[in-house]
Amino acid sequence: MGHGASRLRRLCREVAKFGAVGGAGVLVNLLVFNLVRHVTDLQVVRASVIATVVAIVFNYVGFRYFTYRDRDKTRRTREMSLFLLFSAVGLVIENGVLYTATYGFGWDTPLQNNIFKFLGIGVATLFRFWSYRTWVFRALPAREAVADAESILKRERTRQPRSKQRVP
């Protein structure tokens, strides 16, 4: 039970950290979205894409240096490529919801835009959490597992008698 409870605690901490960075990213996303909508004449989905890209950059920094700072850092090019790939999929999910509401159903008031932007962020977040933790910010081998493996190897070495080699 101790091992399962420990894993659950680690997952809860990870979800909390992901949520803190993600929550700040949502605020950045919505603030940039509304700023672009009020300052420019861009269409709603184009303004949303700009806001999403700004939030992606913000989130990468937060995830790499806060949420997943203990994860494997040896392959940054691979990490960045996968992060951008999965973020692009999340961008399509997020803005697809907004596009469908705006152009498919004609829900195009500022309040409706923000509601469906927020809903799209929520749906895309579920995908992003799964993909980032599974593929992008991969866990290093657990210290306990490494220590257990080393102790097993040490025990095996001490139990096996050394074979004497005969030299002809």
Side-chain angles (χ1 to χ4, degrees):
M1 170 94 179
H3 181 65
S6 173
R7 287 180 69 188
L8 181 60
R9 276 192 299 269
R10 282 194 308 267
L11 179 62
C12 287
R13 277 194 303 270
E14 180 182 345
V15 169
K17 287 181 174 183
F18 187 92
V21 171
V26 168
L27 291 177
V28 167
N29 198 332
L30 291 172
L31 287 171
V32 171
F33 172 66
N34 284 293
L35 180 68
V36 171
R37 288 287 290 152
H38 287 86
V39 174
T40 70
D41 291 331
L42 287 176
Q43 294 175 345
V44 66
V45 175
R46 289 182 183 167
S48 180
V49 168
I50 290 168
T52 303
V53 169
V54 171
I56 286 169
V57 172
F58 175 87
N59 285 345
Y60 178 78
V61 172
F63 291 143
R64 168 42 54 213
Y65 297 103
F66 177 68
T67 306
Y68 298 114
R69 69 176 174 248
D70 61 333
R71 299 289 176 97
D72 187 6
K73 297 177 183 103
T74 58
R75 296 179 286 191
R76 286 285 173 98
T77 303
R78 177 186 180 280
E79 174 185 291
M80 182 65 81
S81 299
L82 288 173
F83 183 84
L84 290 174
L85 172 71
F86 291 123
S87 293
V89 173
L91 181 143
V92 170
I93 293 168
E94 176 182 327
N95 292 291
V97 170
L98 181 61
Y99 180 90
T100 302
T102 303
Y103 300 111
F105 294 102
W107 297 326
D108 196 21
T109 68
L111 178 62
Q112 290 169 330
N113 291 160
N114 279 287
I115 289 170
F116 287 103
K117 171 81 172 155
F118 187 77
L119 181 64
I121 290 170
V123 173
T125 296
L126 295 173
F127 169 76
R128 287 179 177 128
F129 178 73
W130 169 79
S131 64
Y132 293 166
R133 78 181 307 265
T134 304
W135 299 101
V136 180
F137 301 106
R138 295 176 49 168
L140 291 170
R143 288 186 180 105
E144 302 89 32
V146 172
D148 288 347
E150 287 174 347
S151 67
I152 290 169
L153 287 173
K154 200 178 283 185
R155 259 187 280 135
E156 288 298 316
R157 284 187 205 136
T158 57
R159 272 200 285 170
Q160 291 179 351
R162 291 188 181 185
S163 61
K164 295 181 181 180
Q165 294 181 350
R166 294 185 185 195
V167 180

